[in-house]
Amino acid sequence: MYLHYDWLTSYTVFGSDGEIGEVSDCYFDEDDWTIRYLVVKTGVTFLSEKRFVSPLSIAKIDHKEEVIRVNISKEETEKSPDPGDEPVSRRYEEEFNNYYRLSPYWIGNGVWGLATMTDRDLGSPEVSAEADLAQNENYSVHKAKNVMGYNLSVKNDVFGKVDNFLIDEKTFEIKYFIVDTKKWLPGGKKVLISTKWIDDVEWSVSQISISVTREQIEEAPEYLKDMELSDNKEQELWMHYQKST
């Protein structure tokens, strides 16, 4: 199942000992385009603090109740490292992982490194990534909200803007952009573009280059609100863009 980014930002997180807070945003990494942290607003005042929660801690998502249940406690979250303001440093990520005893997602071949989404071992020893820090000084994760509205282009020809994400509920990979083409294409519509088709991202000018043609986009199937993306529809989408899954 695919999650919409804007669904997540309306959900409430509950720990093993009660409500932690509401999801206000997410952070993803720019290499794998995977949600690494949910930003949870604790408290109900303007001065409420924010804390990060890893998708690895999620035990269950109840879409009907708009609730995310995690296998950590409210107390743990309150005492977790403060993320402060942007940008999020790799050193903070290491501190976060050590606190929750998580394997760093950037070490290993999987989307979550040596960890999995289905087997989180809270009793595992600390995993130090000091040796990896020097190689990743320029690495950063990005706030999802900031990417909403980014232009998408084919050979510098803009064809739409990012309107939403479709996120794999099992791995939390951002699989597709929901792209609004209304201002750029005749009879504009919303279409799906896979993050696997990214050629380049120019963060400084908020633009993402995609390896498809303008004609393919104009003839692409329209993505309607809350449309279920079945395996067959997904296969047809990739065939339309002449891409192999």
Side-chain angles (χ1 to χ4, degrees):
M1 179 178 177
Y2 288 117
L3 300 168
H4 288 61
Y5 160 72
D6 59 4
W7 292 357
L8 284 178
T9 54
S10 66
Y11 283 17
T12 303
V13 178
F14 281 82
S16 57
D17 56 352
E19 180 178 333
I20 296 174
E22 296 181 352
V23 178
S24 63
D25 208 345
C26 310
Y27 280 82
F28 67 91
D29 74 281
E30 63 184 57
D31 287 335
D32 293 317
W33 284 81
T34 298
I35 302 295
R36 301 303 181 181
Y37 309 103
L38 305 180
V39 183
V40 181
K41 180 182 177 183
T42 60
V44 295
T45 68
F46 178 75
L47 297 176
S48 297
E49 294 185 344
K50 68 177 181 181
R51 286 294 184 267
F52 283 3
V53 171
S54 169
L56 289 174
S57 299
I58 295 175
K60 181 181 179 181
I61 300 178
D62 187 330
H63 298 292
K64 184 176 180 181
E65 299 295 328
E66 298 187 349
V67 163
I68 298 173
R69 300 195 181 278
V70 295
N71 55 17
I72 55 177
S73 68
K74 179 179 180 180
E75 182 179 3
E76 276 185 285
T77 309
E78 290 173 345
K79 294 180 179 179
S80 66
D82 183 350
D85 298 322
E86 293 185 87
V88 175
S89 69
R90 178 50 58 84
R91 192 166 295 278
Y92 167 80
E93 292 188 277
E94 185 189 32
E95 184 181 358
F96 177 93
N97 286 327
N98 285 340
Y99 176 81
Y100 282 112
R101 287 169 286 178
L102 297 171
S103 297
Y105 63 82
W106 58 89
I107 296 179
N109 296 325
V111 173
W112 285 94
L114 301 176
T116 68
M117 292 297 293
T118 57
D119 184 19
R120 178 177 182 267
D121 181 6
L122 287 172
S124 61
E126 287 188 1
V127 180
S128 176
E130 285 289 349
D132 193 61
L133 286 172
Q135 300 176 17
N136 292 279
E137 291 179 352
N138 296 322
Y139 185 94
S140 60
V141 291
H142 301 271
K143 186 182 289 187
K145 187 179 294 182
N146 292 345
V147 179
M148 297 301 120
Y150 264 40
N151 288 332
L152 276 82
S153 68
V154 177
K155 297 180 179 178
N156 290 322
D157 181 14
V158 175
F159 65 83
K161 66 176 183 179
V162 177
D163 185 67
N164 211 333
F165 293 152
L166 286 188
I167 302 163
D168 188 322
E169 186 173 334
K170 291 182 179 180
T171 63
F172 271 72
E173 293 174 89
I174 300 171
K175 289 290 193 177
Y176 297 97
F177 300 118
I178 300 177
V179 182
D180 188 346
T181 69
K182 292 178 182 176
K183 290 185 179 180
W184 290 272
L185 300 182
K189 57 191 175 184
K190 291 185 179 179
V191 299
L192 295 181
I193 295 292
S194 172
T195 53
K196 300 295 185 184
W197 307 337
I198 294 173
D199 267 343
D200 186 37
V201 182
E202 296 183 73
W203 302 103
S204 62
V205 295
S206 306
Q207 184 160 306
I208 303 170
S209 300
I210 305 295
S211 61
V212 298
T213 68
R214 188 181 181 92
E215 290 73 21
Q216 286 173 327
I217 297 162
E218 291 177 352
E219 297 172 4
E222 182 175 8
Y223 181 78
L224 301 174
K225 185 178 181 180
D226 299 334
M227 177 187 288
E228 182 179 348
L229 189 61
S230 65
D231 290 343
N232 287 338
K233 287 182 179 178
E234 194 165 8
Q235 187 175 16
E236 290 172 1
L237 179 71
W238 283 67
M239 289 178 64
H240 168 77
Y241 284 105
Q242 299 179 354
K243 303 288 186 180
S244 56
T245 56

